[in-house]
Amino acid sequence: MSGAVAVLPTNPVYTPVLLWKAQEKELLQYNFSFEDGMNAAVRAVVRMGIYVKAKVYFVYEGYQGMVDGGDNIVEVSWESVSSILQVGGTVIGSARCKSFRTRGGRLQAAYNLVQRGITNLCVIGGDGSLTGANLFREEWSGLLEELAQKGQIDEEAVKKYAYLNIVGMVGSIDNDFCGTDMTIGTDSALHRIIEVVDAIMTTAQSHQRTFVLEVMGRHCGYLALVSALACGADWVFIPEYPPEEGWEDSMCVKLSENRARKKRLNIIIVAEGAIDCHNKPITSEKVKDLVVQRLGFDTRVTILGHVQRGGTPSAFDRILASRMGVEAVLALLEATPATPACVVSLSGNQAVRLPLMECVQMTQEVQKAMDEGRFVEAVKLRGRSFENNLNTYKLLSHKKTDAELPMTNFNVAVLNVGAPAAGMNAAVRAAVRVGITEGHKMFAVIDGFEGFARGKIKEISWGDVGGWTGQGGSILGTKRTLPAKYLEKIADQMRTNNINALMVIGGFEAYESCLQLYEARSCFEEFCVPICVLPATISNNVPGTDFSIGADTALNAIVETCDRIKQSASGTKRRVFIIETMGGYCGYLANMGALAAGADAAYIFEEQFDIRELQANVEHLTEKMKTSIQRGLVLRNENCNENYTTDFIYQLYSEEGKGVFDCRKNVLGHMQQGGAPSPFDRNFGTKISAKAMQWISKKLKETYRKGAGKIFANTDDSVCLLGMRRRNLVFQPVAELKTETDFVHRIPKEQWWLKLRPLMKILAKYKTSYDVSDSGQLEHVAMHSPKEAETGAI
């Protein structure tokens, strides 16, 4: 396939492609792992392979199964990967394999593949596994010639199967592979960690205890760093950033200061591979003993261990793995003998392909840099997402003394607007603390613009926002009221409180509100100040951003409910569930929930449907009931169609499916808005809020008029929305976003996730076209420049 825009064909040229899907162990390091989300990748590769009319094989027990052959290499069908999305680990197993490290073992593996005509490998693993796969590819022609010399295969087979194509996907909870923002399994591991931290924080607060949590990460501190950022930990130890000499004194002083500010608990997170600046280990027990001896605090150690590898995969991991699996098949279809082995990666919100060995070499360079004490370089080699996480944590965790703080004399107000969304409080906390660090006086506005008009404004301090990251809803209070009818009163309050800048956190109402303030500048000079909007809504319907704070938490609530509903049908065959999701006119939750939960259909406003499509879906489910998969799941966005309501669809399915399947319906309602924020929403909210506050500080300096002694910002770029667009976080003037907005239905005119809709249909066994114009082209790995914008990935 070539060209800028192409539709994946079932062209005869691809028909003979035989695809092998294997999950294997970490080859060169002897260790191996099962990561949550791998089964979603397995499912996607199998179904996409079958969709393009390829034969698909499982190799059970990894490289060991490839060497042993026989029943370990089995052709699979569509139904083989049914009901595995919600299962942790991997259904096809993994095993250590010493023999594959030898040429003799690889010779036997090559023979077993040639016997089945397999010349394409899709490998999920870490850098050791992928290095082994690349070596196998480089030796392939030589192995075949050796087999021919021994008489095990003929010369025709040597010519027919002359080349081996390899595509890798990285499965690692440590997120330790360079070249990708997120590896499969990392987000699920963060879910396990944050669940434990949230539970521990309640008991720690009750007993005024200090808890030292040890998390996985022998060579990479990603899990420790992000979980520390997501829970507001007092201290974190990671391999890439050892504490400075005398850290024992610094840590104890900080813990004491926090207790003096009436904080009833302390959380310290230690990566299992944490070291000091002399490369000596820092263990959780050592940290505990230090706290007890120096401070006398009641201290406990909790080692999470393999709990982090278990459990149900998160929605993020399922979607990521599904996208990567499909991209891997496309990469195999396009591979040529000249194409280097590649790995499918995530950059921001975009799937990319990178040369496998470049990624492996950079990953090994990180360890080399740490071994040689070049820690600053090691952090940069980890990638811009890791470096930005570290910088944000350092910014938020250490409170400067009054003497250290710059004095700007600027007042900045923070408020929430619209419906509550999980992660709002994390964003407010980050805004307040970064604002104080920048030297500003921070103000909190209670109950949105309605509260603003009534003068419900108060100064907020560093300690006031402690412990906010893990709390759902909106502690400041939020209302949907737009400022249009209160403009004069709001201007009066801004003048009275000398507010020099605004940070507005919320959904479509927040965006609309700032647009109204921008348009009212000609009448009210008080609005001529820097204003930044942070998108926070479960609907993910704000223009100018791919993701909104709160959407990931809602998506996980939907997927968890769908899993339970599907499980309830395990004993009752031939049943279809109709699930209604929120989202207004935006179908993001319904579509992505359907992709993550393995639904058969999703009805959304953006893709209009009629009675014929409903009938076709019923017929599709009727056919499905004839297979071994005797249940169905259908999601419906609440405003997808005013006539085809949830009740209507339920009654239609019930009537048309009579005698074949029965039907049940479930309206999820406001449970999608509640609950503790997911790790993604905590981290995303924290990072974009910190970045937004730094932007506000910059704008305040640029727009300050010394002669008048005040701020005057009246340009378009002084009222911006900070959103993630593909790979980067971008500040976009709200005035420019007007042309991208459907104000009637409160959605963007173009939405990136609609390109994933065919993917959901393909994996549900519908015949459709798949747009590959955004398919990843092979790129090269490069260390980022400090000036590059950060990605929004965790």
PDB file of all heavy atoms in Angstrom, residues 656-689:
ATOM      1  N   GLU A 656     -37.330  -8.355  17.251  1.00  0.00           N
ATOM      2  CA  GLU A 656     -36.687  -8.980  16.094  1.00  0.00           C
ATOM      3  C   GLU A 656     -35.845 -10.189  16.484  1.00  0.00           C
ATOM      4  O   GLU A 656     -35.610 -11.084  15.667  1.00  0.00           O
ATOM      5  CB  GLU A 656     -35.810  -7.953  15.366  1.00  0.00           C
ATOM      6  CG  GLU A 656     -36.577  -6.800  14.747  1.00  0.00           C
ATOM      7  CD  GLU A 656     -37.538  -7.265  13.672  1.00  0.00           C
ATOM      8  OE1 GLU A 656     -37.154  -8.120  12.856  1.00  0.00           O
ATOM      9  OE2 GLU A 656     -38.693  -6.797  13.664  1.00  0.00           O
ATOM     10  N   GLY A 657     -35.382 -10.210  17.727  1.00  0.00           N
ATOM     11  CA  GLY A 657     -34.561 -11.333  18.170  1.00  0.00           C
ATOM     12  C   GLY A 657     -35.352 -12.421  18.863  1.00  0.00           C
ATOM     13  O   GLY A 657     -34.753 -13.367  19.408  1.00  0.00           O
ATOM     14  N   LYS A 658     -36.647 -12.275  18.859  1.00  0.00           N
ATOM     15  CA  LYS A 658     -37.506 -13.238  19.560  1.00  0.00           C
ATOM     16  C   LYS A 658     -37.229 -14.664  19.066  1.00  0.00           C
ATOM     17  O   LYS A 658     -37.205 -14.925  17.871  1.00  0.00           O
ATOM     18  CB  LYS A 658     -38.977 -12.881  19.336  1.00  0.00           C
ATOM     19  CG  LYS A 658     -39.937 -13.548  20.303  1.00  0.00           C
ATOM     20  CD  LYS A 658     -41.366 -13.030  20.112  1.00  0.00           C
ATOM     21  CE  LYS A 658     -41.515 -11.628  20.688  1.00  0.00           C
ATOM     22  NZ  LYS A 658     -42.901 -11.126  20.583  1.00  0.00           N
ATOM     23  N   GLY A 659     -37.019 -15.554  20.016  1.00  0.00           N
ATOM     24  CA  GLY A 659     -36.744 -16.953  19.679  1.00  0.00           C
ATOM     25  C   GLY A 659     -35.270 -17.227  19.443  1.00  0.00           C
ATOM     26  O   GLY A 659     -34.860 -18.389  19.387  1.00  0.00           O
ATOM     27  N   VAL A 660     -34.462 -16.144  19.265  1.00  0.00           N
ATOM     28  CA  VAL A 660     -33.019 -16.313  19.033  1.00  0.00           C
ATOM     29  C   VAL A 660     -32.231 -15.804  20.241  1.00  0.00           C
ATOM     30  O   VAL A 660     -31.334 -16.457  20.728  1.00  0.00           O
ATOM     31  CB  VAL A 660     -32.576 -15.562  17.757  1.00  0.00           C
ATOM     32  CG1 VAL A 660     -31.079 -15.744  17.520  1.00  0.00           C
ATOM     33  CG2 VAL A 660     -33.373 -16.025  16.559  1.00  0.00           C
ATOM     34  N   PHE A 661     -32.581 -14.605  20.711  1.00  0.00           N
ATOM     35  CA  PHE A 661     -31.943 -14.056  21.917  1.00  0.00           C
ATOM     36  C   PHE A 661     -32.934 -13.153  22.644  1.00  0.00           C
ATOM     37  O   PHE A 661     -33.897 -12.664  22.043  1.00  0.00           O
ATOM     38  CB  PHE A 661     -30.662 -13.273  21.577  1.00  0.00           C
ATOM     39  CG  PHE A 661     -30.853 -12.128  20.614  1.00  0.00           C
ATOM     40  CD1 PHE A 661     -31.341 -10.889  21.047  1.00  0.00           C
ATOM     41  CD2 PHE A 661     -30.518 -12.261  19.266  1.00  0.00           C
ATOM     42  CE1 PHE A 661     -31.508  -9.838  20.167  1.00  0.00           C
ATOM     43  CE2 PHE A 661     -30.678 -11.209  18.376  1.00  0.00           C
ATOM     44  CZ  PHE A 661     -31.178 -10.000  18.829  1.00  0.00           C
ATOM     45  N   ASP A 662     -32.704 -12.975  23.936  1.00  0.00           N
ATOM     46  CA  ASP A 662     -33.504 -12.000  24.670  1.00  0.00           C
ATOM     47  C   ASP A 662     -32.645 -10.772  24.965  1.00  0.00           C
ATOM     48  O   ASP A 662     -31.451 -10.753  24.706  1.00  0.00           O
ATOM     49  CB  ASP A 662     -34.105 -12.591  25.949  1.00  0.00           C
ATOM     50  CG  ASP A 662     -33.046 -13.025  26.950  1.00  0.00           C
ATOM     51  OD1 ASP A 662     -31.852 -12.923  26.621  1.00  0.00           O
ATOM     52  OD2 ASP A 662     -33.423 -13.461  28.053  1.00  0.00           O
ATOM     53  N   CYS A 663     -33.267  -9.733  25.485  1.00  0.00           N
ATOM     54  CA  CYS A 663     -32.622  -8.435  25.588  1.00  0.00           C
ATOM     55  C   CYS A 663     -32.747  -7.853  26.991  1.00  0.00           C
ATOM     56  O   CYS A 663     -33.732  -8.099  27.691  1.00  0.00           O
ATOM     57  CB  CYS A 663     -33.311  -7.498  24.597  1.00  0.00           C
ATOM     58  SG  CYS A 663     -32.170  -6.516  23.671  1.00  0.00           S
ATOM     59  N   ARG A 664     -31.733  -7.083  27.382  1.00  0.00           N
ATOM     60  CA  ARG A 664     -31.768  -6.327  28.631  1.00  0.00           C
ATOM     61  C   ARG A 664     -31.189  -4.944  28.348  1.00  0.00           C
ATOM     62  O   ARG A 664     -30.356  -4.770  27.463  1.00  0.00           O
ATOM     63  CB  ARG A 664     -30.920  -7.001  29.720  1.00  0.00           C
ATOM     64  CG  ARG A 664     -31.418  -8.369  30.152  1.00  0.00           C
ATOM     65  CD  ARG A 664     -32.712  -8.264  30.956  1.00  0.00           C
ATOM     66  NE  ARG A 664     -33.115  -9.560  31.492  1.00  0.00           N
ATOM     67  CZ  ARG A 664     -33.823 -10.477  30.840  1.00  0.00           C
ATOM     68  NH1 ARG A 664     -34.191 -10.224  29.582  1.00  0.00           N
ATOM     69  NH2 ARG A 664     -34.158 -11.607  31.409  1.00  0.00           N
ATOM     70  N   LYS A 665     -31.621  -3.947  29.111  1.00  0.00           N
ATOM     71  CA  LYS A 665     -31.088  -2.595  28.922  1.00  0.00           C
ATOM     72  C   LYS A 665     -30.577  -2.051  30.245  1.00  0.00           C
ATOM     73  O   LYS A 665     -30.993  -2.472  31.326  1.00  0.00           O
ATOM     74  CB  LYS A 665     -32.150  -1.664  28.337  1.00  0.00           C
ATOM     75  CG  LYS A 665     -33.326  -1.408  29.265  1.00  0.00           C
ATOM     76  CD  LYS A 665     -34.282  -0.385  28.678  1.00  0.00           C
ATOM     77  CE  LYS A 665     -35.494  -0.218  29.617  1.00  0.00           C
ATOM     78  NZ  LYS A 665     -36.424   0.789  29.132  1.00  0.00           N
ATOM     79  N   ASN A 666     -29.639  -1.091  30.132  1.00  0.00           N
ATOM     80  CA  ASN A 666     -29.044  -0.496  31.326  1.00  0.00           C
ATOM     81  C   ASN A 666     -28.624   0.936  31.004  1.00  0.00           C
ATOM     82  O   ASN A 666     -27.865   1.161  30.072  1.00  0.00           O
ATOM     83  CB  ASN A 666     -27.823  -1.322  31.766  1.00  0.00           C
ATOM     84  CG  ASN A 666     -27.378  -0.979  33.170  1.00  0.00           C
ATOM     85  OD1 ASN A 666     -27.188   0.183  33.500  1.00  0.00           O
ATOM     86  ND2 ASN A 666     -27.200  -1.998  33.985  1.00  0.00           N
ATOM     87  N   VAL A 667     -29.149   1.889  31.774  1.00  0.00           N
ATOM     88  CA  VAL A 667     -28.768   3.293  31.618  1.00  0.00           C
ATOM     89  C   VAL A 667     -27.762   3.620  32.720  1.00  0.00           C
ATOM     90  O   VAL A 667     -28.101   3.602  33.904  1.00  0.00           O
ATOM     91  CB  VAL A 667     -29.995   4.228  31.718  1.00  0.00           C
ATOM     92  CG1 VAL A 667     -29.558   5.685  31.594  1.00  0.00           C
ATOM     93  CG2 VAL A 667     -31.017   3.876  30.633  1.00  0.00           C
ATOM     94  N   LEU A 668     -26.513   3.909  32.337  1.00  0.00           N
ATOM     95  CA  LEU A 668     -25.447   4.064  33.324  1.00  0.00           C
ATOM     96  C   LEU A 668     -25.555   5.356  34.127  1.00  0.00           C
ATOM     97  O   LEU A 668     -25.176   5.396  35.291  1.00  0.00           O
ATOM     98  CB  LEU A 668     -24.083   3.999  32.632  1.00  0.00           C
ATOM     99  CG  LEU A 668     -23.781   2.697  31.879  1.00  0.00           C
ATOM    100  CD1 LEU A 668     -22.359   2.722  31.343  1.00  0.00           C
ATOM    101  CD2 LEU A 668     -23.977   1.486  32.772  1.00  0.00           C
ATOM    102  N   GLY A 669     -26.043   6.425  33.507  1.00  0.00           N
ATOM    103  CA  GLY A 669     -26.300   7.662  34.240  1.00  0.00           C
ATOM    104  C   GLY A 669     -25.077   8.293  34.879  1.00  0.00           C
ATOM    105  O   GLY A 669     -23.952   8.174  34.387  1.00  0.00           O
ATOM    106  N   HIS A 670     -25.306   8.946  36.042  1.00  0.00           N
ATOM    107  CA  HIS A 670     -24.268   9.783  36.642  1.00  0.00           C
ATOM    108  C   HIS A 670     -23.151   9.003  37.324  1.00  0.00           C
ATOM    109  O   HIS A 670     -22.212   9.614  37.848  1.00  0.00           O
ATOM    110  CB  HIS A 670     -24.909  10.773  37.620  1.00  0.00           C
ATOM    111  CG  HIS A 670     -25.549  11.934  36.922  1.00  0.00           C
ATOM    112  ND1 HIS A 670     -26.758  11.819  36.270  1.00  0.00           N
ATOM    113  CD2 HIS A 670     -25.136  13.208  36.730  1.00  0.00           C
ATOM    114  CE1 HIS A 670     -27.082  12.983  35.730  1.00  0.00           C
ATOM    115  NE2 HIS A 670     -26.109  13.850  35.996  1.00  0.00           N
ATOM    116  N   MET A 671     -23.244   7.700  37.344  1.00  0.00           N
ATOM    117  CA  MET A 671     -22.112   6.932  37.876  1.00  0.00           C
ATOM    118  C   MET A 671     -20.852   7.177  37.043  1.00  0.00           C
ATOM    119  O   MET A 671     -19.736   7.008  37.507  1.00  0.00           O
ATOM    120  CB  MET A 671     -22.436   5.439  37.904  1.00  0.00           C
ATOM    121  CG  MET A 671     -22.641   4.815  36.544  1.00  0.00           C
ATOM    122  SD  MET A 671     -22.489   3.035  36.568  1.00  0.00           S
ATOM    123  CE  MET A 671     -20.740   2.854  36.740  1.00  0.00           C
ATOM    124  N   GLN A 672     -21.046   7.631  35.790  1.00  0.00           N
ATOM    125  CA  GLN A 672     -19.903   7.924  34.919  1.00  0.00           C
ATOM    126  C   GLN A 672     -19.163   9.193  35.358  1.00  0.00           C
ATOM    127  O   GLN A 672     -18.010   9.404  34.979  1.00  0.00           O
ATOM    128  CB  GLN A 672     -20.379   8.088  33.469  1.00  0.00           C
ATOM    129  CG  GLN A 672     -20.989   6.825  32.895  1.00  0.00           C
ATOM    130  CD  GLN A 672     -21.886   7.116  31.694  1.00  0.00           C
ATOM    131  OE1 GLN A 672     -21.415   7.248  30.578  1.00  0.00           O
ATOM    132  NE2 GLN A 672     -23.179   7.220  31.922  1.00  0.00           N
ATOM    133  N   GLN A 673     -19.835  10.045  36.142  1.00  0.00           N
ATOM    134  CA  GLN A 673     -19.207  11.294  36.596  1.00  0.00           C
ATOM    135  C   GLN A 673     -18.515  11.139  37.941  1.00  0.00           C
ATOM    136  O   GLN A 673     -17.707  11.970  38.319  1.00  0.00           O
ATOM    137  CB  GLN A 673     -20.260  12.401  36.728  1.00  0.00           C
ATOM    138  CG  GLN A 673     -20.535  13.128  35.437  1.00  0.00           C
ATOM    139  CD  GLN A 673     -21.479  14.305  35.638  1.00  0.00           C
ATOM    140  OE1 GLN A 673     -22.132  14.418  36.668  1.00  0.00           O
ATOM    141  NE2 GLN A 673     -21.556  15.164  34.652  1.00  0.00           N
ATOM    142  N   GLY A 674     -18.841  10.088  38.667  1.00  0.00           N
ATOM    143  CA  GLY A 674     -18.326   9.931  40.023  1.00  0.00           C
ATOM    144  C   GLY A 674     -17.073   9.095  40.102  1.00  0.00           C
ATOM    145  O   GLY A 674     -16.500   8.678  39.103  1.00  0.00           O
ATOM    146  N   GLY A 675     -16.658   8.835  41.332  1.00  0.00           N
ATOM    147  CA  GLY A 675     -15.505   7.978  41.570  1.00  0.00           C
ATOM    148  C   GLY A 675     -14.197   8.740  41.636  1.00  0.00           C
ATOM    149  O   GLY A 675     -14.100   9.907  41.234  1.00  0.00           O
ATOM    150  N   ALA A 676     -13.176   8.068  42.160  1.00  0.00           N
ATOM    151  CA  ALA A 676     -11.838   8.661  42.241  1.00  0.00           C
ATOM    152  C   ALA A 676     -11.246   8.778  40.841  1.00  0.00           C
ATOM    153  O   ALA A 676     -11.474   7.919  39.988  1.00  0.00           O
ATOM    154  CB  ALA A 676     -10.944   7.798  43.126  1.00  0.00           C
ATOM    155  N   PRO A 677     -10.483   9.823  40.567  1.00  0.00           N
ATOM    156  CA  PRO A 677      -9.891   9.993  39.235  1.00  0.00           C
ATOM    157  C   PRO A 677      -8.929   8.857  38.902  1.00  0.00           C
ATOM    158  O   PRO A 677      -8.240   8.328  39.777  1.00  0.00           O
ATOM    159  CB  PRO A 677      -9.124  11.321  39.344  1.00  0.00           C
ATOM    160  CG  PRO A 677      -9.612  11.979  40.585  1.00  0.00           C
ATOM    161  CD  PRO A 677     -10.113  10.906  41.489  1.00  0.00           C
ATOM    162  N   SER A 678      -8.882   8.491  37.637  1.00  0.00           N
ATOM    163  CA  SER A 678      -7.937   7.474  37.177  1.00  0.00           C
ATOM    164  C   SER A 678      -6.528   8.053  37.201  1.00  0.00           C
ATOM    165  O   SER A 678      -6.341   9.272  37.223  1.00  0.00           O
ATOM    166  CB  SER A 678      -8.291   7.031  35.755  1.00  0.00           C
ATOM    167  OG  SER A 678      -8.042   8.095  34.835  1.00  0.00           O
ATOM    168  N   PRO A 679      -5.486   7.209  37.187  1.00  0.00           N
ATOM    169  CA  PRO A 679      -4.115   7.725  37.123  1.00  0.00           C
ATOM    170  C   PRO A 679      -3.896   8.666  35.938  1.00  0.00           C
ATOM    171  O   PRO A 679      -3.218   9.682  36.061  1.00  0.00           O
ATOM    172  CB  PRO A 679      -3.265   6.456  36.987  1.00  0.00           C
ATOM    173  CG  PRO A 679      -4.088   5.377  37.612  1.00  0.00           C
ATOM    174  CD  PRO A 679      -5.507   5.740  37.297  1.00  0.00           C
ATOM    175  N   PHE A 680      -4.483   8.326  34.801  1.00  0.00           N
ATOM    176  CA  PHE A 680      -4.320   9.172  33.610  1.00  0.00           C
ATOM    177  C   PHE A 680      -4.868  10.566  33.871  1.00  0.00           C
ATOM    178  O   PHE A 680      -4.211  11.571  33.577  1.00  0.00           O
ATOM    179  CB  PHE A 680      -5.030   8.545  32.411  1.00  0.00           C
ATOM    180  CG  PHE A 680      -4.871   9.335  31.129  1.00  0.00           C
ATOM    181  CD1 PHE A 680      -3.880   9.003  30.216  1.00  0.00           C
ATOM    182  CD2 PHE A 680      -5.690  10.419  30.852  1.00  0.00           C
ATOM    183  CE1 PHE A 680      -3.712   9.741  29.043  1.00  0.00           C
ATOM    184  CE2 PHE A 680      -5.526  11.163  29.683  1.00  0.00           C
ATOM    185  CZ  PHE A 680      -4.536  10.819  28.781  1.00  0.00           C
ATOM    186  N   ASP A 681      -6.088  10.653  34.413  1.00  0.00           N
ATOM    187  CA  ASP A 681      -6.709  11.959  34.633  1.00  0.00           C
ATOM    188  C   ASP A 681      -5.970  12.770  35.692  1.00  0.00           C
ATOM    189  O   ASP A 681      -5.860  13.993  35.580  1.00  0.00           O
ATOM    190  CB  ASP A 681      -8.186  11.793  35.014  1.00  0.00           C
ATOM    191  CG  ASP A 681      -9.062  11.532  33.807  1.00  0.00           C
ATOM    192  OD1 ASP A 681      -8.710  11.994  32.712  1.00  0.00           O
ATOM    193  OD2 ASP A 681     -10.101  10.859  33.951  1.00  0.00           O
ATOM    194  N   ARG A 682      -5.469  12.101  36.710  1.00  0.00           N
ATOM    195  CA  ARG A 682      -4.695  12.824  37.729  1.00  0.00           C
ATOM    196  C   ARG A 682      -3.425  13.410  37.116  1.00  0.00           C
ATOM    197  O   ARG A 682      -3.082  14.572  37.339  1.00  0.00           O
ATOM    198  CB  ARG A 682      -4.306  11.877  38.875  1.00  0.00           C
ATOM    199  CG  ARG A 682      -5.489  11.301  39.622  1.00  0.00           C
ATOM    200  CD  ARG A 682      -5.017  10.441  40.793  1.00  0.00           C
ATOM    201  NE  ARG A 682      -6.102   9.588  41.284  1.00  0.00           N
ATOM    202  CZ  ARG A 682      -6.106   8.999  42.464  1.00  0.00           C
ATOM    203  NH1 ARG A 682      -5.084   9.163  43.283  1.00  0.00           N
ATOM    204  NH2 ARG A 682      -7.121   8.244  42.834  1.00  0.00           N
ATOM    205  N   ASN A 683      -2.736  12.583  36.355  1.00  0.00           N
ATOM    206  CA  ASN A 683      -1.468  13.016  35.771  1.00  0.00           C
ATOM    207  C   ASN A 683      -1.675  14.038  34.666  1.00  0.00           C
ATOM    208  O   ASN A 683      -0.970  15.058  34.596  1.00  0.00           O
ATOM    209  CB  ASN A 683      -0.725  11.790  35.238  1.00  0.00           C
ATOM    210  CG  ASN A 683       0.718  12.096  34.888  1.00  0.00           C
ATOM    211  OD1 ASN A 683       1.326  12.981  35.454  1.00  0.00           O
ATOM    212  ND2 ASN A 683       1.258  11.358  33.942  1.00  0.00           N
ATOM    213  N   PHE A 684      -2.636  13.793  33.806  1.00  0.00           N
ATOM    214  CA  PHE A 684      -2.930  14.704  32.696  1.00  0.00           C
ATOM    215  C   PHE A 684      -3.373  16.061  33.241  1.00  0.00           C
ATOM    216  O   PHE A 684      -2.889  17.115  32.807  1.00  0.00           O
ATOM    217  CB  PHE A 684      -4.012  14.091  31.806  1.00  0.00           C
ATOM    218  CG  PHE A 684      -4.310  14.880  30.558  1.00  0.00           C
ATOM    219  CD1 PHE A 684      -3.308  15.197  29.662  1.00  0.00           C
ATOM    220  CD2 PHE A 684      -5.604  15.300  30.281  1.00  0.00           C
ATOM    221  CE1 PHE A 684      -3.582  15.915  28.510  1.00  0.00           C
ATOM    222  CE2 PHE A 684      -5.887  16.019  29.129  1.00  0.00           C
ATOM    223  CZ  PHE A 684      -4.876  16.335  28.239  1.00  0.00           C
ATOM    224  N   GLY A 685      -4.280  16.047  34.229  1.00  0.00           N
ATOM    225  CA  GLY A 685      -4.753  17.287  34.832  1.00  0.00           C
ATOM    226  C   GLY A 685      -3.624  18.053  35.495  1.00  0.00           C
ATOM    227  O   GLY A 685      -3.516  19.280  35.365  1.00  0.00           O
ATOM    228  N   THR A 686      -2.768  17.331  36.196  1.00  0.00           N
ATOM    229  CA  THR A 686      -1.643  17.963  36.889  1.00  0.00           C
ATOM    230  C   THR A 686      -0.675  18.593  35.903  1.00  0.00           C
ATOM    231  O   THR A 686      -0.256  19.749  36.053  1.00  0.00           O
ATOM    232  CB  THR A 686      -0.903  16.922  37.755  1.00  0.00           C
ATOM    233  OG1 THR A 686      -1.807  16.419  38.750  1.00  0.00           O
ATOM    234  CG2 THR A 686       0.300  17.530  38.441  1.00  0.00           C
ATOM    235  N   LYS A 687      -0.309  17.853  34.857  1.00  0.00           N
ATOM    236  CA  LYS A 687       0.707  18.334  33.918  1.00  0.00           C
ATOM    237  C   LYS A 687       0.220  19.514  33.077  1.00  0.00           C
ATOM    238  O   LYS A 687       0.938  20.493  32.895  1.00  0.00           O
ATOM    239  CB  LYS A 687       1.176  17.193  33.008  1.00  0.00           C
ATOM    240  CG  LYS A 687       2.075  16.199  33.713  1.00  0.00           C
ATOM    241  CD  LYS A 687       3.043  15.516  32.772  1.00  0.00           C
ATOM    242  CE  LYS A 687       2.336  14.645  31.773  1.00  0.00           C
ATOM    243  NZ  LYS A 687       3.293  13.892  30.943  1.00  0.00           N
ATOM    244  N   ILE A 688      -1.017  19.435  32.570  1.00  0.00           N
ATOM    245  CA  ILE A 688      -1.462  20.544  31.722  1.00  0.00           C
ATOM    246  C   ILE A 688      -1.762  21.787  32.560  1.00  0.00           C
ATOM    247  O   ILE A 688      -1.589  22.911  32.099  1.00  0.00           O
ATOM    248  CB  ILE A 688      -2.668  20.168  30.821  1.00  0.00           C
ATOM    249  CG1 ILE A 688      -3.943  19.909  31.623  1.00  0.00           C
ATOM    250  CG2 ILE A 688      -2.342  19.007  29.919  1.00  0.00           C
ATOM    251  CD1 ILE A 688      -5.188  19.800  30.720  1.00  0.00           C
ATOM    252  N   SER A 689      -2.162  21.582  33.810  1.00  0.00           N
ATOM    253  CA  SER A 689      -2.410  22.731  34.684  1.00  0.00           C
ATOM    254  C   SER A 689      -1.101  23.451  35.010  1.00  0.00           C
ATOM    255  O   SER A 689      -1.030  24.690  34.996  1.00  0.00           O
ATOM    256  CB  SER A 689      -3.098  22.270  35.967  1.00  0.00           C
ATOM    257  OG  SER A 689      -3.385  23.368  36.800  1.00  0.00           O
TER     258      SER A 689
END
